[in-house]
Amino acid sequence: MGCIPTKALVRSAEAIHLARRAREFGFETGDIKVDLAAIQDRRAEIVRVGVERMTRGIESNDAIELIRGEARFESATRIVVNETVIEAPKTIIATGAQPMVPDIPGLDRPNYLVSDGLLELRRLPEHMIIVGGAAVALEFGQIYRRFGSRVTMLVRGERILRYQDEEIATTLEEALIAEGVEILTGTQVVRVEPVGDGTQIHIEHEGQQRMLECAACAVIDYEGPPRPAEDAMVTATGRRAYTDRLGLDEAGVRHGPDGISVDDELRTSAQNIWGVGDVLGGQHARYKYTHVAVEHGLIAAENAMRGAGRVMDYRAAPGAVFTDPEVASVGLTEREALEAGYTIQVGRQPAERIGRARVMGETRGLVKTVAEAGTGKLLGMHICAHNAGELIHAGVVAMNAGDGSLDPILNGIFIHPTMMEGVQSSAEVVGSDEPARMSH
């Protein structure tokens, strides 16, 4: 799932949403007409330029030999790419992940889209049904709702974003519902059945059997772009490590359904092979982010080439969901901190009390700070607000600075009016049941 391609769609959806709010900001617009094909063309051009620049940088580096093809291990030190044999004393596996299709009766025929296909869809579905409630599902759900589709989300758990702080997840869920996204939590997809040219999706929700229907579900054609349709069912239930056809058993690399097993230094069970990014399983599988994969790469390269002995520390590894409002987090949630045995203090600052948020008309949201009582050590920061993906870095820096306390945030002089004032205000009232002072 490409970060940049998806965010290009997010930006188009955001612009459309703001245009529809014109009267709120004191001006008039005509009818908003969404041209999905033009949106996808913009997304494709952004990707093309980015890929060209990245590829040019690799190809122009005399220290790098780029070989295109499908690689597989014949042994821990022997790799075949196409018909070329490479003797590899040390290897880093970085094959990433691919969309995971849920085990639902009826999905043995191509009657659904996986998330990658939505990056190519060129005609707007009238009704989009999304199976899933994590980041990918939520981003696409809001994108296509803002584009004009009716969107229904089928979430197996009792809430969206199960790894996020509960208050933060609830704040986002309320915002999406307010935009017209239908979210059915606690829902089990029982089966999918073709009916004529369309598809029926049978679900169990709140103890009741229900049936949803797509008139002509979009289909992924793996040899080309998805076929256009009036309605679309989408499975966005996660991604699985791409380990197919790599010859990991021949290399002696231990792996399971969730990915490759590595130790804290990212070394696999084969002592000369390391793994990085979304291909990893175990504790690493929770952090499927590009920025985490980049850090993996630095650590694995230093360990492989210099025996640096560096380990991956997820304590201050941030993550974000690029909905609107955005969700971003670092460290422990309130529940995780309590379960870990900490005595905690929590600070909260509603977005509606942040001056800049009111000016921008972005008052949905919450900044939440979790700290250890007595020491002031920052255990976690969780934000659902406009530009949360930028704001969270204050928490990242604080957790990596000195003793990891809130002092870098509390002692800083933050510009007024900015959203960052809300982060500081949240830190100021750690341990209080009252919101921080209002940012004027």
Side-chain angles (χ1 to χ4, degrees):
M1 192 64 230
C3 294
I4 296 300
T6 310
K7 280 18 141 196
L9 298 187
V10 166
R11 180 58 174 165
S12 291
E14 181 182 58
I16 291 165
H17 180 65
L18 285 173
R20 290 190 178 119
R21 295 171 60 190
R23 283 296 303 156
E24 179 183 338
F25 296 98
F27 64 96
E28 297 278 359
T29 61
D31 291 338
I32 305 300
K33 297 180 180 179
V34 177
D35 185 343
L36 185 55
I39 289 172
Q40 296 287 22
D41 288 342
R42 175 180 181 270
R43 183 266 316 155
E45 179 62 13
I46 291 170
V47 172
R48 183 193 65 79
V49 172
V51 170
E52 278 188 3
R53 289 176 178 172
M54 180 177 63
T55 304
R56 192 182 308 123
I58 294 173
E59 291 177 335
S60 63
N61 191 326
D62 293 336
I64 298 174
E65 180 184 4
L66 178 63
I67 303 175
R68 301 180 185 275
E70 183 170 311
R72 70 182 187 279
F73 287 98
E74 288 193 340
S75 72
T77 58
R78 186 180 176 88
I79 299 173
V80 177
V81 184
N82 303 326
E83 300 301 321
T84 303
V85 177
I86 301 172
E87 296 297 331
K90 294 179 180 179
T91 302
I92 296 176
I93 301 173
T95 49
Q98 59 188 333
M100 179 173 62
V101 179
D103 185 15
I104 297 172
L107 286 185
D108 55 350
R109 62 187 290 269
N111 56 2
Y112 60 91
L113 281 168
V114 290
S115 53
D116 288 1
L118 292 176
L119 295 173
E120 302 291 344
L121 200 61
R122 299 182 68 83
R123 197 167 76 189
L124 194 64
E126 180 181 334
H127 182 198
M128 179 172 291
I129 298 172
I130 298 177
V131 181
V136 173
L138 296 168
E139 289 177 7
F140 275 122
Q142 186 176 51
I143 286 168
Y144 276 90
R145 177 67 190 126
R146 289 181 168 185
F147 285 172
S149 296
R150 175 189 167 201
V151 174
T152 300
M153 303 191 67
L154 308 179
V155 183
R156 186 169 185 172
E158 294 306 314
R159 64 182 180 93
I160 62 173
L161 295 178
R162 63 190 178 101
Y163 287 128
Q164 293 285 346
D165 183 272
E166 292 179 28
E167 284 184 278
I168 297 299
T170 298
T171 300
L172 176 61
E173 185 170 337
E174 290 172 351
L176 294 176
I177 291 172
E179 286 195 24
V181 177
E182 182 181 21
I183 301 176
L184 303 181
T185 56
T187 299
Q188 176 70 37
V189 180
V190 178
R191 67 184 185 280
V192 177
E193 293 181 343
V195 177
D197 293 331
T199 300
Q200 290 182 346
I201 304 164
H202 296 263
I203 66 172
E204 184 175 310
H205 175 65
E206 296 181 345
Q208 302 293 319
Q209 299 288 326
R210 290 181 56 183
M211 186 272 289
L212 306 173
E213 195 162 19
C214 292
C217 288
V219 178
I220 282 290
D221 179 353
Y222 288 99
E223 299 301 318
R227 303 168 193 166
E230 297 304 319
D231 296 336
M233 172 186 173
V234 183
T235 61
T237 50
R239 300 174 73 80
R240 68 177 182 87
Y242 188 84
T243 57
D244 303 351
R245 303 189 302 276
L246 291 182
L248 296 180
D249 293 334
E250 287 78 2
V253 174
R254 189 162 51 246
H255 60 101
D258 63 341
I260 292 173
S261 300
V262 295
D263 61 17
D264 290 341
E265 295 183 9
L266 305 181
R267 189 194 300 263
T268 72
S269 52
Q271 291 302 294
N272 67 313
I273 300 175
W274 287 257
V276 303
D278 292 1
V279 76
L280 302 185
Q283 64 165 329
H284 309 280
R286 177 174 171 177
Y287 299 90
K288 293 187 183 300
Y289 300 112
T290 299
H291 50 277
V292 171
V294 170
E295 182 68 11
H296 285 170
L298 295 172
I299 291 172
E302 290 188 22
N303 291 345
M305 302 308 295
R306 299 210 309 260
R310 289 188 58 191
V311 300
M312 183 64 198
D313 179 11
Y314 293 107
R315 179 184 57 85
V321 183
F322 289 90
T323 47
D324 180 14
E326 292 177 359
V327 168
S329 63
V330 63
L332 301 177
T333 66
E334 180 178 358
R335 180 184 295 273
E336 288 171 339
L338 291 171
E339 289 176 348
Y342 287 100
T343 301
I344 65 171
Q345 295 177 313
V346 179
R348 297 174 177 83
Q349 179 73 334
E352 63 187 8
R353 294 182 64 88
I354 303 171
R356 184 63 183 273
R358 296 198 310 278
V359 167
M360 293 189 298
E362 304 291 352
T363 55
R364 288 188 178 274
L366 174 69
V367 182
K368 183 172 181 178
T369 302
V370 181
E372 183 178 27
T375 68
K377 179 181 179 181
L378 178 59
L379 300 175
M381 182 174 287
H382 310 277
I383 306 174
C384 179
H386 183 73
N387 270 353
E390 306 290 341
L391 303 178
I392 198 64
H393 292 99
V396 174
V397 171
M399 292 180 73
N400 282 288
D403 60 0
S405 75
L406 286 167
D407 287 347
I409 297 174
L410 294 173
N411 297 335
I413 300 175
F414 290 0
I415 293 172
H416 172 79
T418 62
M419 292 295 294
M420 278 299 302
E421 288 183 296
V423 174
Q424 189 174 53
S425 294
S426 174
E428 287 174 343
V429 293
V430 163
S432 169
D433 291 331
E434 298 298 325
R437 66 177 183 270
M438 183 179 293
S439 301
H440 299 293

